[in-house]
Amino acid sequence: MTDGCEFEFMEYMDEQSIDRNLICSICHKPLKDPVCTPCDHTYGRACITQWLNQSNNCSCPMCVKKPLSINELTQASRPLRNILDQLRVQCILCAQTGLQRGNFVDHINKVCPKSVVQCKAADIKCPWEGPRDELQNHNTTCIFEPLRPVLASLIAENRQLIDHVQQHDKEIKELTQKMYQLQKTATNEPNDESDASSVSDSPVDDTNHNAEDAIYIRYLPAIVKFNDIFDLFSKVGRIKYNPNNQKTEIFIFKHPNKKNGWCNAKVTYVNKESAAAAVAEYNGKHIPQWNTRLQVNIFHSKGKNLNASGIDSNRNIHDCPEAKAMENRKEFSNKDEKVSPIVYQPKPQPEDNQATAKNKKRSRPRYAPHVDKPTS
């Protein structure tokens, strides 16, 4: 039974001798569970509650013009309750008389044979309720009490499962909040030049990560953004999230003096399988939105970035015989393309020679006219 309900099962003895100041002005009987209003009037709790629940009553019975609600009622003062506790009462359930009002609650909860109680196996879901004097007979036939060890173990395990579920719900809520903050950060990301967490001009410290968990991307356009890389490379695996700075492990490397040139990027995954999948998916793949063919390799902090075949992509071309031979063939092909075909053309004669030939043609010797020599 709850506090206040116990007084419903008692009656005052010799009510005519009780002081009129201890009488409820609503029912005109001695106060059982007195409460006070803000206007300093005292009533029985059951009487004033019933009064306020009526549709036409929303004020104090004594101060009609002042509004009143049940939430504004407070317990009566200690001196008033001490005076009431000295009065003699009778239990309605068991008809016992001569009880002090101050001891009536203990009588109902511990002694009264007609008070309604629960089975002692109620903690393991026994539904029985009945008078106290019938509890002993129920205990001899209760089917829950013999099962107490098993049921108690199941109930304990159930409580542990509930605790685990609540803990997981809490973790899920925290992860959801972090994901929301991450998405918000990614949406409101500043320019690449001003975001130090995603753009860098120097190598990144990889002491806390395995080399196999990261990839290195080349031939990215200068206009590439954080969101572009995240949207593309998150399709093949889960990208690592750093809780210290609340940032995703994506870094974009740009040359400080070549703002419009190609740039590189590094993406760290949570495992090496995702990194290998990214290399297999995007290495040598043409990306239409950037109009470029990417080069994606496994990232190594010491500067060796291996491609899918295991060859160091940073190795000097002169250190690889095959690459050198290929380069030589390429240069030889370029030289062949530059050589123009030979076409025979007659060698023009100099202008002086042409003039000389013309003069020779014009200065052919002519026979002089015959002139007779005079005779002497």
Side-chain angles (χ1 to χ4, degrees):
M1 296 181 183
T2 57
D3 295 341
C5 296
E6 296 87 347
F7 298 108
E8 297 179 2
F9 305 104
M10 79 173 190
E11 288 183 350
Y12 285 100
M13 301 177 61
D14 195 10
E15 294 182 358
Q16 296 179 356
S17 62
I18 296 177
D19 190 347
R20 295 182 59 84
N21 293 324
L22 304 178
I23 302 299
C24 176
S25 60
I26 297 177
C27 65
H28 304 289
K29 292 183 178 181
L31 297 168
K32 292 184 177 181
D33 185 16
V35 292
C36 292
T37 63
C39 53
D40 202 20
H41 291 109
T42 305
Y43 305 96
R45 184 183 296 275
C47 297
I48 189 63
T49 302
Q50 183 179 2
W51 170 273
L52 294 176
N53 286 335
Q54 295 178 0
S55 59
N56 296 329
N57 297 325
C58 59
S59 61
C60 175
M62 303 296 294
C63 307
V64 181
K65 296 183 180 181
K66 293 185 178 180
L68 178 65
S69 65
I70 297 178
N71 296 331
E72 295 178 316
L73 300 177
T74 58
Q75 191 178 32
S77 62
R78 171 62 65 177
L80 177 59
R81 286 185 284 123
N82 289 339
I83 295 174
L84 292 172
D85 288 342
Q86 300 300 322
L87 301 178
R88 296 293 174 173
V89 296
Q90 177 183 356
C91 180
I92 298 176
L93 297 176
C94 64
Q96 183 176 351
T97 60
L99 299 173
Q100 280 191 345
R101 180 188 176 277
N103 299 329
F104 186 77
V105 175
D106 292 338
H107 168 77
I108 290 294
N109 294 333
K110 299 178 181 180
V111 180
C112 181
K114 299 300 180 180
S115 177
V116 178
V117 295
Q118 294 179 334
C119 175
K120 62 180 182 180
D123 59 333
I124 54 175
K125 309 304 180 181
C126 178
W128 184 87
E129 289 184 355
R132 182 177 279 106
D133 56 0
E134 298 179 7
L135 177 60
Q136 188 64 29
N137 294 334
H138 168 75
N139 291 338
T140 58
T141 60
C142 181
I143 62 176
F144 285 84
E145 189 62 28
L147 299 176
R148 175 177 290 277
V150 178
L151 294 177
S153 176
L154 294 176
I155 292 174
E157 292 180 0
N158 186 43
R159 290 176 180 174
Q160 291 179 356
L161 291 175
I162 292 175
D163 293 340
H164 287 313
V165 170
Q166 293 177 352
Q167 181 66 24
H168 288 319
D169 290 342
K170 182 179 179 180
E171 293 177 358
I172 291 174
K173 184 177 180 180
E174 293 177 355
L175 291 176
T176 303
Q177 293 177 352
K178 290 181 179 179
M179 182 177 295
Y180 173 76
Q181 294 177 357
L182 177 61
Q183 293 176 349
K184 185 177 180 181
T185 303
T187 304
N188 299 329
E189 182 197 11
N191 294 333
D192 293 338
E193 292 79 3
S194 61
D195 189 356
S197 64
S198 60
V199 181
S200 175
D201 296 328
S202 60
V204 182
D205 185 10
D206 297 296
T207 56
N208 296 330
H209 309 298
N210 296 328
E212 294 82 1
D213 298 345
I215 60 173
Y216 196 77
I217 311 161
R218 290 181 173 83
Y219 304 123
L220 290 169
I223 61 173
V224 68
K225 299 292 183 181
F226 175 91
N227 291 348
D228 300 335
I229 298 179
F230 181 85
D231 294 341
L232 184 65
F233 286 90
S234 61
K235 297 178 181 179
V236 297
R238 188 155 59 92
I239 300 176
K240 190 168 185 179
Y241 175 79
N242 191 344
N244 296 328
N245 56 11
Q246 297 183 352
K247 297 288 184 179
T248 304
E249 292 292 337
I250 296 178
F251 298 89
I252 302 176
F253 305 93
K254 291 186 177 181
H255 196 284
N257 299 328
K258 298 179 180 180
K259 298 297 183 180
N260 297 326
W262 297 104
C263 64
N264 305 325
K266 177 201 166 189
V267 177
T268 304
Y269 289 94
V270 296
N271 50 44
K272 61 183 181 181
E273 290 78 10
S274 299
V279 174
E281 176 69 20
Y282 294 112
N283 186 30
K285 184 176 181 180
H286 181 265
I287 307 300
Q289 63 186 19
W290 296 332
N291 193 23
T292 182
R293 190 175 300 276
L294 298 181
Q295 181 179 351
V296 184
N297 309 307
I298 299 296
F299 181 84
H300 288 269
S301 59
K302 294 183 179 180
K304 294 182 178 181
N305 301 319
L306 304 182
N307 56 21
S309 61
I311 300 176
D312 184 3
S313 61
N314 290 337
R315 185 178 177 183
N316 194 326
I317 189 172
H318 299 291
D319 298 336
C320 181
E322 296 82 356
K324 185 175 181 181
M326 184 180 295
E327 185 68 19
N328 292 336
R329 287 196 297 270
K330 184 176 180 181
E331 293 179 359
F332 182 77
S333 176
N334 293 337
K335 290 181 179 180
D336 291 343
E337 293 178 356
K338 293 180 181 180
V339 176
S340 58
I342 300 175
V343 180
Y344 175 77
Q345 294 180 356
K347 185 176 179 181
Q349 295 182 357
E351 294 182 357
D352 295 341
N353 295 337
Q354 293 180 359
T356 304
K358 188 176 181 180
N359 293 333
K360 288 182 178 181
K361 184 177 180 180
R362 292 180 177 180
S363 59
R364 286 185 299 177
R366 295 181 178 180
Y367 295 99
H370 179 71
V371 178
D372 294 335
K373 292 182 179 181
T375 57
S376 57

